[in-house]
């Protein structure tokens, strides 16, 4: 009888499943490496990571021991960190959920000693965002830039680099600050794991509204979508019975206030910082982020019974532009993609005090923060275009669109969505023929929008935005409360 040890092992084939397809290798074959000397563009800093024994990174749960060094490539404003001869100690593991299943994978770094990487404040904790299938151009970079312009308390800094792991060129990544409770990041009192003291557990919460099941979650029923709303604490990570009870009671009280069915009700805003939420929401609306308020949605609360939930920081705009450029005239909570179950925002949007705050924030954005947004997008494209051409050679499966076409697509969508939001949220305006009353026969149509942005050819009972379109291309927009 032939035993396993008697087989010709050099002829033995094994199957490796990658991205849903099956590839076949002989035992002696190793995956192809892409020589960094051939692929590095020379236009971005390069991060070199080498794991112990060049072990491949296959887990999101366990760190591998590694070394790193950062070559600034002589780019003004950046400095080398470590060197090829004297690399520095770090640990690295995978990260992400859906993105981890892609060929070009994201990673998390935990440096042994704090370092100032690419001008970012000294820290040990960074992430490497792959942006593998970002066919509409750097959604995270644009979303983060909007967050800075919108004035959220803290927005993670991200810088484009090229990444080499174990001598293998991996393409263009964004080196990004990780969301953490720290003075230079989420600046709240840090709450200890398994805390029990009544005052201590009132704050120091950094929580994600999550899509995925985690072991330390608190859940409540989802009244809009069915199922449950999942709250995953990032800080603290390990909950005592007292912490779990406090967080459960807190989100239950908030949920009850949100679903009070009174558009003039304000109790919900006694628990949630309305200004921060409005800023956070407007960013998601501009980006048309189909997964917002569903997953990767962070909020925090500082210590004290009277402190409020503050939405932010922003994270993960991978599901932005979820509607087509021809089908964007709707708010994000009105036509939720099948992969998402948005929590709370659709109900909060029914409250008049929230709508008033959104209009206030929108006016501030248009006056002070809108100008130059497209210049930023163009500058990002110019910064990475040479390196992305190398990235596309490395990952041809993601090279379906050129960088210039991606930029045009992103700007086209944002232009249309911002113009529509301006129509919904701006003060009453009359364009083109401001002071001329046109005859009834000159009207093409009249559309009525309610407070939630739903449109109809007939007026709604209560608040209406009335848009009259005329044959000569002019438009009249007004507001009215109708019976």
């Amino acid at each position: 009888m032939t035993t396993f040890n008697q087989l010709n092992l050099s002829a033995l084939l094994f199957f490796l499943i990658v991205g849903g397809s099956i590839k076949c290798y002989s035992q002696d074959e190793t995956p192809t490496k892409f020589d960094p000397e051939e692929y590095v563009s020379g236009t971005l800093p390069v991060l070199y990571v080498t794991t112990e024994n060049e072990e491949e990174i296959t887990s999101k749960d366990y760190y591998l021991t590694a070394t790193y060094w950062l070559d600034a490539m002589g780019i003004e404003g950046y400095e080398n960190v470590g060197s090829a001869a004297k690399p520095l100690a770090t640990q690295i593991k995978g990260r992400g959920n859906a993105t981890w299943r892609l060929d070009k994978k994201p990673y998390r770094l935990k440096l042994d000693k704090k370092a100032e990487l690419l001008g970012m404040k000294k820290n040990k904790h960074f992430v490497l965002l792959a942006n593998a299938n970002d066919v509409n151009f750097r959604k995270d970079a644009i979303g983060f830039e909007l967050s800075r312009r919108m004035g959220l308390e803290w927005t993670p800094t991200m810088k484009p680099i090229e990444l080499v792991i174990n001598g293998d060129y991996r393409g263009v990544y964004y080196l990004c600050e990780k969301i953490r409770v720290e003075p230079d990041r989420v600046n709240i009192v840090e709450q200890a794991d398994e805390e029990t003291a009544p005052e201590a557990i009132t704050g120091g919460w950094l929580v994600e509204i999550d899509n995925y099941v985690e072991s330390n979650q608190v859940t409540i029923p989802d009244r809009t979508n069915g199922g449950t709303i999942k709250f995953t604490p990032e800080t603290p990570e390990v909950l005592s019975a007292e912490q779990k009870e406090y967080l459960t009671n807190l989100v239950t009280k908030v949920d009850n206030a949100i679903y009070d069915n009174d558009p003039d009700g304000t109790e919900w805003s006694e628990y949630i910082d309305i200004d921060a939420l409005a800023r956070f929401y407007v960013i998601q609306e501009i980006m048309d982020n189909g997964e917002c308020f569903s997953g990767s949605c962070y909020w925090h609360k500082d210590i004290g019974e009277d402190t409020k939930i503050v939405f932010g920081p922003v994270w993960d705009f991978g599901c932005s532009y979820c509607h087509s450029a021809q089908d964007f005239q709707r708010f994000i909570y009105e036509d939720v993609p099948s992969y998402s179950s948005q929590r709370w925002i659709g109900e909060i949007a029914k409250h008049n005090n929230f709508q008033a705050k959104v209009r206030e924030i929108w006016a501030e954005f248009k006056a002070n923060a809108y100008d130059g947004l497209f210049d930023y997008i163009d500058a990002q494209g110019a910064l990475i275009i040479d390196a992305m051409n190398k990235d596309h050679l490395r990952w041809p499966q993601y090279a379906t669109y050129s960088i210039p076409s991606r930029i045009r697509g992103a700007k086209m969508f944002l232009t249309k969505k911002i113009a529509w939001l301006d129509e919904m949220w701006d003060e009453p305006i009359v364009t083109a023929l401001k002071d001329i009353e046109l005859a009834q026969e000159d009207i093409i149509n009249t559309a009525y929008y309610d407070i939630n942005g739903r449109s109809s050819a007939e007026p709604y009972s209560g608040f209406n935005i009335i848009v009259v379109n005329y044959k000569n291309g002019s438009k009249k927009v007004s507001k009215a409360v109708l019976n």
Side-chain angles (χ1 to χ4, degrees):
M1 182 177 180
T2 303
T3 66
F4 180 84
N5 289 333
Q6 292 172 310
L7 293 175
N8 182 352
L9 293 182
S10 65
L12 179 65
L13 299 180
F14 66 93
F15 292 98
L16 178 65
I17 301 177
V18 180
S21 62
I22 298 178
K23 295 183 179 180
C24 192
Y25 298 91
S26 71
Q27 186 190 30
D28 296 332
E29 185 179 350
T30 57
T32 301
K33 284 189 176 182
F34 292 78
D35 185 354
E37 290 191 8
E38 180 182 349
Y39 283 86
V40 165
S41 70
T43 62
L44 292 178
V46 183
L47 179 66
Y48 293 87
V49 178
T50 303
T51 61
E52 190 172 30
N53 300 320
E54 296 195 358
E55 183 178 351
E56 186 59 38
I57 305 157
T58 59
S59 173
K60 299 189 301 176
D61 300 317
Y62 304 104
Y63 281 107
L64 295 182
T65 301
T67 59
Y68 80 98
W69 70 283
L70 181 67
D71 186 349
M73 300 297 289
I75 298 172
E76 186 177 355
Y78 294 153
E79 295 182 359
N80 294 346
V81 178
S83 67
K86 294 183 178 180
L88 305 175
T90 188
Q91 300 176 71
I92 187 169
K93 67 178 181 179
R95 66 165 306 279
N97 290 301
T99 52
W100 178 246
R101 296 193 289 269
L102 300 174
D103 295 330
K104 185 185 179 188
K105 298 184 182 300
Y107 302 101
R108 178 175 170 181
L109 290 173
K110 184 179 180 182
L111 313 183
D112 275 23
K113 294 183 179 180
K114 290 183 178 182
E116 187 177 297
L117 303 182
L118 302 181
M120 291 184 268
K121 292 181 178 179
K122 276 190 174 182
N123 210 286
K124 292 183 178 182
H125 301 274
F126 297 89
V127 296
L128 290 161
L129 301 177
N131 297 116
N133 57 353
D134 187 358
V135 297
N136 276 317
F137 185 72
R138 306 306 142 191
K139 299 171 184 175
D140 285 336
I142 298 172
F144 284 27
E145 176 65 12
L146 280 169
S147 175
R148 281 184 285 273
R149 289 165 174 260
M150 205 68 70
L152 264 65
E153 285 184 359
W154 174 71
T155 302
T157 300
M158 58 193 310
K159 300 289 180 71
I161 61 163
E162 291 177 274
L163 178 65
V164 177
I165 297 180
N166 296 332
D168 179 27
Y169 177 79
R170 300 294 177 94
V172 175
Y173 278 69
Y174 273 86
L175 181 67
C176 183
E177 295 176 309
K178 186 182 185 301
I179 293 177
R180 288 176 60 82
V181 174
E182 290 185 354
D184 290 329
R185 296 188 179 181
V186 179
N187 187 16
I188 58 176
V189 173
E190 186 168 7
Q191 186 179 163
D193 287 347
E194 300 184 289
E195 179 65 73
T196 59
E199 172 61 19
I201 64 177
T202 62
W205 290 103
L206 173 60
V207 178
E208 177 188 357
I209 300 177
D210 207 342
N211 275 332
Y212 296 89
V213 176
E214 303 290 349
S215 59
N216 64 334
Q217 282 176 339
V218 160
T219 63
I220 61 173
D222 185 344
R223 305 191 204 187
T224 298
N225 304 294
T228 60
I229 307 178
K230 305 176 184 68
F231 300 92
T232 303
E234 298 285 331
T235 300
E237 290 186 87
V238 183
L239 304 186
S240 65
E242 290 83 356
Q243 286 171 317
K244 187 171 184 178
E245 180 181 14
Y246 177 85
L247 183 57
T248 302
N249 289 340
L250 173 64
V251 295
T252 299
K253 285 190 296 185
V254 173
D255 191 71
N256 288 337
I258 287 170
Y259 281 88
D260 71 349
N261 295 320
D262 179 5
D264 293 319
T266 60
E267 183 187 0
W268 72 274
S269 53
E270 295 174 12
Y271 299 109
I272 295 177
D273 185 309
I274 187 172
D275 186 85
L277 175 59
R279 294 175 190 277
F280 184 89
Y281 162 71
V282 169
I283 296 163
Q284 312 300 327
E285 196 67 81
I286 293 172
M287 293 299 292
D288 200 47
N289 185 4
E291 202 178 19
C292 68
F293 298 95
S294 175
S296 299
C297 177
Y298 291 90
W299 56 262
H300 54 279
K301 181 182 183 298
D302 211 345
I303 194 167
E305 285 289 356
D306 59 347
T307 59
K308 295 184 180 184
I309 287 172
V310 179
F311 272 79
V314 296
W315 192 257
D316 192 357
F317 290 90
C319 293
S320 297
Y321 320 143
C322 67
H323 299 103
S324 72
Q326 290 73 44
D327 189 32
F328 62 90
Q329 293 182 325
R330 62 193 71 201
F331 292 113
I332 48 178
Y333 49 80
E334 289 186 305
D335 182 30
V336 182
S338 59
Y339 53 77
S340 177
S341 295
Q342 289 176 7
R343 322 297 184 177
W344 284 353
I345 187 60
E347 288 298 311
I348 291 174
K350 295 176 182 178
H351 289 84
N352 291 328
N353 63 341
F354 181 69
Q355 290 292 337
K357 177 59 71 171
V358 166
R359 285 174 167 79
E360 175 188 322
I361 298 303
W362 182 253
E364 178 186 318
F365 166 72
K366 288 300 296 296
N368 303 311
Y370 178 53
D371 287 348
L373 177 61
F374 287 1
D375 293 337
Y376 168 82
I377 295 173
D378 289 336
Q380 279 291 303
L383 182 65
I384 68 172
I385 188 167
D386 290 340
M388 281 303 300
N389 288 335
K390 298 292 188 178
D391 184 282
H392 287 171
L393 293 175
R394 175 62 174 87
W395 304 103
Q397 61 269 50
Y398 305 123
T400 51
Y401 299 93
S402 69
I403 292 297
S405 68
R406 291 182 183 196
I407 292 173
R408 286 194 298 272
K411 289 165 64 175
M412 178 184 69
F413 185 90
L414 290 169
T415 297
K416 291 185 175 183
K417 186 65 186 285
I418 289 171
W420 182 76
L421 291 173
D422 201 38
E423 196 173 87
M424 295 297 100
W425 290 339
D426 202 4
E427 290 303 310
I429 58 173
V430 180
T431 61
L433 301 180
K434 183 174 181 179
D435 299 316
I436 300 175
E437 288 296 326
L438 296 179
Q440 187 70 26
E441 57 267 23
D442 292 325
I443 295 174
I444 297 174
N445 58 50
T446 301
Y448 298 86
Y449 294 84
D450 71 1
I451 197 169
N452 295 308
R454 292 186 292 264
S455 63
S456 172
E458 300 296 328
Y460 292 92
S461 176
F463 178 84
N464 284 256
I465 296 174
I466 307 168
V467 180
V468 182
N469 293 293
Y470 293 95
K471 292 178 181 178
N472 64 0
S474 65
K475 178 186 299 184
K476 180 178 180 181
V477 182
S478 59
K479 298 177 184 178
V481 176
L482 305 174
N483 295 325

